[in-house]
Amino acid sequence: MRKVGIIMGSDSDLPIVTKATDTLKALEIPFEVHVYSAHRTPVEARDFAVNARENGFGAIIAAAGMAAHLAGAIAANTTLPVIGIPCKSSNLDGIDALLSTVQMPTGIPVATVAINGGANAALLCAQILAVEDKELAAKLDAKRASDAAKVLEKDKAISASF
Ligand code: RP5
């Protein structure tokens, strides 16, 4: 199976990235995690993206806050799917990162999840990899069914309490 590459702009983004790594671990998807910044280490970020397909990656998650150009800078250097996680790490509550990540110019797409949406970024990668992987698709179906069962349990408990 191809790996997921997870890049964060700073180690201060790690709590958000952990939601993605936990989700990938649960689905037994291999991944690598790196700290590369579009602004502080642009050469390393670019080199990772340029070589990612050759290095066995199938999708890349890029998590960054503030003027969050990381996902776009990665996407500019690879045609692998790039999922951006805007991180809430400033006085602007993540709106700055959301707009910086989502507003990509035509030709260089970034699939942007919610502010701090680490788990959904991993699930989107899993769904991309599952297009050609029946075993992974079955795991995703099982997770959906299990998540739905948990909600129905909550429905029972709440409705019985009134
Ligand atoms: C962004 O600036 C990082 O992704 C992080 O969310 C934010 C703050 O970084 P630090 O100053 O905590 O390293 O580039």
Side-chain angles (χ1 to χ4, degrees):
M1 187 191 301
R2 286 195 157 256
K3 295 178 284 186
V4 171
I6 306 181
I7 314 299
M8 64 192 111
S10 166
D11 61 351
S12 64
D13 300 317
L14 190 56
I16 310 306
V17 164
T18 300
K19 294 194 269 179
T21 57
D22 287 350
T23 303
L24 293 173
K25 274 183 203 161
L27 292 165
E28 298 176 291
I29 296 172
F31 61 87
E32 268 182 35
V33 184
H34 297 279
V35 179
Y36 296 138
S37 163
H39 306 120
R40 293 166 175 158
T41 58
V43 173
E44 288 77 4
R46 175 200 171 274
D47 286 352
F48 178 88
V50 166
N51 297 312
R53 189 183 295 275
E54 186 69 21
N55 286 339
F57 293 95
I60 300 173
I61 293 172
M66 301 181 77
H69 299 128
L70 183 60
I74 295 286
N77 286 293
T78 180
T79 53
L80 289 175
V82 176
I83 291 103
I85 309 174
C87 297
K88 178 177 165 176
S89 59
S90 77
N91 293 333
L92 297 181
D93 280 340
I95 295 295
D96 44 358
L98 173 63
L99 297 180
S100 304
T101 305
V102 78
Q103 287 287 50
M104 288 298 293
T106 298
I108 311 292
V110 166
T112 304
V113 296
I115 295 170
N116 289 357
N120 265 2
L123 287 171
L124 191 48
C125 282
Q127 290 179 201
I128 290 165
L129 297 176
V131 168
E132 294 289 345
D133 185 330
K134 282 185 184 160
E135 201 180 316
L136 181 55
K139 282 184 193 168
L140 287 168
D141 285 341
K143 176 173 166 38
R144 284 275 175 104
S146 144
D147 288 351
K150 283 178 202 154
V151 173
L152 294 176
E153 278 303 310
K154 288 177 188 166
D155 169 58
K156 259 191 213 157
I158 291 282
S159 74
S161 74
F162 288 95

